[in-house]
Amino acid sequence: MNEVDDAILEFLRDLEVDGQRVALKPGAVHHNLVEEFGMLDKSLSTFSRRMDTLAGAGLLEKSKDGKGSPYKITDKGISYLDGELHTEDLRSN
């Protein structure tokens, strides 16, 4: 887990519409966190790779197979952010 992972999870945790979690593609997350908010200085490929890794650990859910598919945060991802789950409890990709 690193600063990109935490930023991705925190950003997606805060996105809901009518009580449902929003799914976004890596490019949209990158655009907002890097270009709009200037929170990180990382490449789109880093975001894509990290979001795939987070999905492999069960913290994000990939909406469909394929490159550039949207992801949304899982209950496990929220538990991690809330401090109820530790990195050693995560499965690796």
Side-chain angles (χ1 to χ4, degrees):
M1 300 298 291
N2 60 43
E3 69 177 341
V4 175
D5 298 343
D6 290 340
I8 290 167
L9 291 170
E10 289 169 4
F11 180 69
L12 291 174
R13 174 183 56 190
D14 295 336
L15 297 177
E16 284 189 4
V17 174
D18 293 332
Q20 294 197 29
R21 295 176 186 148
V22 172
L24 292 176
K25 294 181 178 186
V29 177
H30 173 267
H31 173 79
N32 281 284
L33 293 177
V34 174
E35 297 177 30
E36 289 293 323
F37 304 124
M39 294 174 63
L40 299 165
D41 185 23
K42 301 292 181 181
S43 68
L44 173 56
S45 63
T46 296
F47 274 76
S48 296
R49 187 175 52 256
R50 295 311 305 161
M51 289 175 78
D52 193 50
T53 298
L54 291 168
L59 301 175
L60 294 180
E61 177 184 331
K62 196 171 188 177
S63 296
K64 60 183 179 178
D65 290 331
K67 188 175 180 177
S69 296
Y71 295 81
K72 62 183 173 182
I73 194 166
T74 62
D75 290 339
K76 190 173 182 179
I78 292 171
S79 292
Y80 168 77
L81 289 174
D82 290 344
E84 299 168 1
L85 185 68
H86 302 284
T87 54
E88 53 273 353
D89 298 324
L90 304 175
R91 69 179 188 269
S92 60
N93 191 8

